[in-house]
Amino acid sequence: MNIFLLGNGFDLHHDLPTKYINFLNIVDYIKNEKSCDSCSTVGKVFSNPELIKKDETIKLCNEKYNSVYKLIEIDTDSIQELRSLANKNDWFEYMLECYRKNATWIDFEQEISRVCKAFDTFFVANRKRRNPKISREFETIFRCFDSLFKLEVSYTQYSGYYETLNINSDFVININNSVKINESLIVETLYNSLMELAKMLRLYLKIFVDNTVEGLVAHSLIKQNDLFENVDQVFTLNYTNTFAKVYGSNDNITLHIHGNIASDIVLGVQADEKDELEENDSTFIMFKKYYQRSMCGTEYSLNSKINELKQSKDTIKLSIMGHSLDITDRDIIKKLFSVADRIIIYYYGDKRAQGNYLKKLIHIFGQEKYDEIATRTLSPDIIICDEIGQSCELNEIVNGLNSGIKFVLTAHASSLEEFKSREVYKKLFVENNFKKAVFLVGCNQPCAVSKIYDFFEMKDENNDNPYNMYSDCFDLRKAN
């Protein structure tokens, strides 16, 4: 069975403007552009000189697809709705401000997490105070949320004019001459504003991605990739319908884990340690992706499909394209990896990019579990392990040997007898899995081999030593 996990890199592979910075740049342009004619077609928006100058993806899309873009009309109501939402959305202003500070990249999930943690710390710090106080470390974040905070200018003879950030009166409660923060109302307001941002993102993707793809395919400007000729199941974290539109697949084989533009979408953060406590802290649970997936119904669909795959007798090959395997999707990655017999990861770049993927997997699973998954699914020909010695390492090596993988191991021992006498190493030789043991001279002669022992297939009954020494000292640095 051939299944795929797709991330945003899949859409980017087809040169579609699905980066968060594309969304911010285009919606900000629409927000400030008063002429409806300038936004009457996708082509007119994408050919705007300012947008082309600041956004390389928009420039690329305009150069490659403008012949079709100029034919795709945008209805006035959609433009007005986007403009209206952008004009009053605190999250949009916050994301835009973050993007302006780093004009090449922004991660919505990272920023949502940063804001939630700032408010959580702010709540905890002020629960015992008679009057709320906003620390300077959070001022830069809170300034963007105009619906919650107001900036007041004061004057004193000694200090002159100065600014103070205060909570809007609608979000505080007066109790016994003390001012308390209305935490639940602030969280609710933040969440509703985030859902409006999600609505803006859905509308943007519908206008500038989904509505354009069919035309681009019809004009042969987007070509199919042979990798997707025989696909049985697609799990996608994208909101778009690019896979179905480009490859003409049945919608039944595609599961939008985070929702799609035709319905509600998931825009939140990964579960953290607070979600694992017996007394669960649910203050910001609405911002968690697992909660939003449950509300969208996709969590049930995902778990049902995973259970189907677990019961399947077919060999399951999981191919991953366009997903960074970041820890923000840890729960989904763990579920899919648990059912795969073989895993293939497609990525752009060199060995450094490959190394980054491996680091992320080790971060998600831990070293021991990663070793087990790598052995079971990534099918290496040879694994080299340096300085083995712990029982857990030996267990994983034995599992690898039983899977037909060859090993080169290093260990500390001054002689063959000492090596044989160590209890932890004995299980390696029960099934005669190793052919040779190589002893080095030592630190005085780096890389110089002292002796090589050949392991017989069976122990000689007349010989207590089942190993045959057949070579003397030579230097590995000089050997071919």
Side-chain angles (χ1 to χ4, degrees):
M1 181 179 292
N2 194 14
I3 68 176
F4 271 83
L5 171 64
L6 304 180
N8 190 42
F10 173 80
D11 279 15
L12 296 176
H13 170 74
H14 294 87
D15 294 322
L16 297 172
T18 54
K19 293 179 180 179
Y20 286 134
I21 61 173
N22 308 145
F23 162 70
L24 291 174
N25 282 327
I26 288 179
V27 175
D28 188 46
Y29 165 73
I30 291 172
K31 172 187 170 185
N32 296 299
E33 179 56 52
K34 303 307 178 185
S35 169
C36 291
D37 182 65
S38 299
C39 304
S40 59
T41 68
V42 174
K44 285 186 177 181
V45 174
F46 273 62
S47 58
N48 176 268
E50 289 300 315
L51 281 173
I52 289 173
K53 184 178 179 180
K54 70 167 66 172
D55 196 315
E56 282 295 324
T57 303
I58 292 174
K59 179 182 178 182
L60 170 66
C61 290
N62 183 60
E63 292 172 349
K64 188 172 183 179
Y65 298 144
N66 190 261
S67 61
V68 172
Y69 279 174
K70 65 184 182 182
L71 304 175
I72 301 174
E73 296 182 351
I74 307 173
D75 67 271
T76 305
D77 290 343
S78 295
I79 293 296
Q80 295 289 10
E81 186 177 9
L82 260 181
R83 189 176 290 145
S84 174
L85 288 167
N87 275 326
K88 62 179 182 179
N89 191 270
D90 290 345
W91 280 102
F92 182 74
E93 288 303 318
Y94 172 74
M95 296 298 182
L96 207 55
E97 185 63 27
C98 293
Y99 168 54
R100 286 168 182 151
K101 293 177 182 177
N102 179 13
T104 58
W105 182 82
I106 185 173
D107 185 335
F108 275 21
E109 291 177 19
Q110 185 180 88
E111 296 305 330
I112 294 169
S113 177
R114 193 194 310 276
V115 170
C116 289
K117 288 177 180 177
F119 274 95
D120 189 35
T121 304
F122 171 62
F123 292 161
V124 172
N126 283 282
R127 280 171 186 161
K128 294 183 179 180
R129 288 193 177 127
R130 293 181 65 85
N131 292 290
K133 181 181 179 182
I134 301 172
S135 62
R136 290 192 176 275
E137 64 178 311
F138 298 135
E139 275 196 16
T140 54
I141 294 176
F142 293 168
R143 279 171 182 261
C144 294
F145 292 85
D146 291 339
S147 61
L148 301 174
F149 301 93
K150 58 184 177 181
L151 195 63
E152 298 178 340
V153 179
S154 303
Y155 175 82
T156 66
Q157 183 178 355
Y158 301 103
S159 304
Y161 289 99
Y162 64 94
E163 294 179 336
T164 306
L165 192 67
N166 296 310
I167 308 175
N168 287 335
S169 58
D170 293 340
F171 298 96
V172 295
I173 306 170
N174 291 301
I175 304 174
N176 298 328
N177 297 321
S178 294
V179 178
K180 298 297 181 184
I181 300 169
N182 192 335
E183 296 180 12
S184 60
L185 185 57
I186 288 179
V187 171
E188 182 182 352
T189 303
L190 279 172
Y191 177 72
N192 289 338
S193 180
L194 183 65
M195 291 302 98
E196 286 190 347
L197 180 70
K199 186 176 182 180
M200 293 166 60
L201 183 56
R202 282 171 47 207
L203 194 55
Y204 162 79
L205 292 171
K206 179 181 178 181
I207 296 170
F208 296 101
V209 180
D210 244 43
N211 288 354
T212 68
V213 170
E214 288 182 4
L216 296 174
V217 172
H219 286 77
S220 300
L221 293 176
I222 289 184
K223 300 187 184 302
Q224 295 185 350
N225 191 313
D226 293 341
L227 287 173
F228 302 100
E229 280 188 355
N230 299 300
V231 180
D232 299 298
Q233 178 68 51
V234 173
F235 296 92
T236 179
L237 296 167
N238 301 332
Y239 309 126
T240 60
N241 297 298
T242 304
F243 180 80
K245 288 177 179 288
V246 173
Y247 295 93
S249 69
N250 188 328
D251 283 343
N252 292 332
I253 73 166
T254 304
L255 175 59
H256 288 264
I257 299 174
H258 286 161
N260 63 37
I261 59 173
S263 59
D264 294 331
I265 64 173
V266 172
L267 185 61
V269 298
Q270 174 64 30
D272 56 25
E273 63 275 4
K274 290 188 176 182
D275 297 279
E276 308 299 331
L277 299 176
E278 290 185 8
E279 295 183 6
N280 189 301
D281 184 347
S282 60
T283 306
F284 290 92
I285 194 171
M286 293 184 294
F287 295 84
K288 304 297 174 68
K289 288 195 284 190
Y290 72 85
Y291 172 87
Q292 294 182 21
R293 287 198 300 267
S294 296
M295 295 300 292
C296 291
T298 58
E299 183 78 359
Y300 173 79
S301 300
L302 174 63
N303 290 333
S304 296
K305 186 59 67 174
I306 292 295
N307 288 333
E308 280 183 31
L309 294 173
K310 285 181 177 179
Q311 295 171 14
S312 173
K313 295 181 180 179
D314 296 331
T315 299
I316 297 174
K317 182 178 78 171
L318 170 63
S319 299
I320 299 163
M321 175 177 277
H323 192 279
S324 64
L325 298 181
D326 196 76
I327 197 167
T328 54
D329 290 316
R330 172 179 55 199
D331 49 352
I332 295 167
I333 293 168
K334 283 186 172 182
K335 288 176 181 179
L336 289 174
F337 275 47
S338 71
V339 300
D341 298 298
R342 181 164 172 76
I343 298 171
I344 299 174
I345 302 171
Y346 296 95
Y347 63 92
Y348 290 103
D350 51 15
K351 284 289 184 181
R352 183 181 300 177
Q354 181 183 5
N356 287 334
Y357 272 99
L358 296 181
K359 286 178 185 177
K360 289 176 180 179
L361 289 175
I362 293 170
H363 190 193
I364 289 171
F365 291 100
Q367 182 182 348
E368 186 174 345
K369 184 64 177 176
Y370 167 78
D371 289 342
E372 184 271 318
I373 291 172
T375 299
R376 177 171 56 84
T377 64
L378 300 180
S379 302
D381 295 320
I382 299 174
I383 294 179
I384 300 174
C385 301
D386 187 32
E387 296 188 6
I388 60 170
Q390 298 183 22
S391 295
C392 60
E393 294 174 336
L394 273 296
N395 290 334
E396 297 304 321
I397 291 169
V398 171
N399 290 336
L401 290 168
N402 292 335
S403 299
I405 298 171
K406 297 177 181 178
F407 281 83
V408 176
L409 312 176
T410 70
H412 288 285
S414 60
S415 65
L416 184 62
E417 287 68 27
E418 181 186 342
F419 184 73
K420 288 165 52 183
S421 67
R422 294 188 180 179
E423 192 68 30
V424 71
Y425 297 138
K426 287 184 178 179
K427 65 172 67 175
L428 291 178
F429 307 103
V430 172
E431 300 295 334
N432 298 315
N433 286 304
F434 286 86
K435 294 182 178 180
K436 293 178 175 63
V438 179
F439 280 82
L440 302 181
V441 173
C443 59
N444 293 329
Q445 293 180 262
C447 298
V449 174
S450 171
K451 292 180 174 63
I452 298 179
Y453 293 89
D454 194 12
F455 296 170
F456 288 134
E457 290 292 326
M458 297 180 64
K459 182 177 178 179
D460 186 347
E461 294 181 357
N462 298 320
N463 187 353
D464 291 335
N465 186 355
Y467 310 102
N468 176 37
M469 186 183 76
Y470 73 96
S471 180
D472 208 345
C473 181
F474 70 95
D475 194 331
L476 284 177
R477 291 170 296 183
K478 299 177 182 178
N480 292 327

